[in-house]
Amino acid sequence: LALCAMMFASLTFAQSAKKASSSELGIGVDAALPIGDFNKSHSFGIGGTLKYAYNLDENNAITLTAGYINFSGKTETFPVIGDYKNPSVGFIPVKAGYRYTFPGNFYVEPQLGVTFFTGNDASGSSFTYAGNIGYKFTPAVDLSVRYEGMSKNSNNLSFLGLRLAYNFSLSGK
């Protein structure tokens, strides 16, 4: 993350020396569906994210994303023990990414970062990776689908996410 922050800062200063670039701040609502090992213990997740994008030009942007997603626990039945309700778990992801927008407003955005865990039996953090595919209906309205994964206590915690966002343009000087 420190390397991404330094790269972001150097690109910011380099671009401001050349010309004023635009940036945007997006506020999004996220829905998530656990997959793999995570699907066995948890169900649907919901949350929100903030995404800052520094637009290098009309096709390239450096992004910083942070948010919160809460997954409710499933009830599992075990022989002899009976039913057990898994506690809900929250994720606070902090990710840096690079967004490339193709002609026609479709984009791809790989991201790397760290996720902090919250909840009764969840603590600590984990390396996080994600891949977004999205479409900007207008400069303000953005819809994306992503795969996000992390590893916690030898378990792969991954999910498919859907994000609907509203972007505010921040003018560069």
Side-chain angles (χ1 to χ4, degrees), residues 27-69:
I27 299 173
V29 175
D30 291 68
L33 185 62
I35 57 177
D37 296 338
F38 192 37
N39 184 40
K40 296 174 186 172
S41 61
H42 289 80
S43 60
F44 187 75
I46 189 139
T49 52
L50 287 175
K51 182 186 291 189
Y52 173 79
Y54 182 78
N55 297 310
L56 302 170
D57 57 34
E58 70 179 46
N59 299 98
N60 300 284
I62 303 294
T63 63
L64 296 173
T65 305
Y68 179 79
I69 299 176

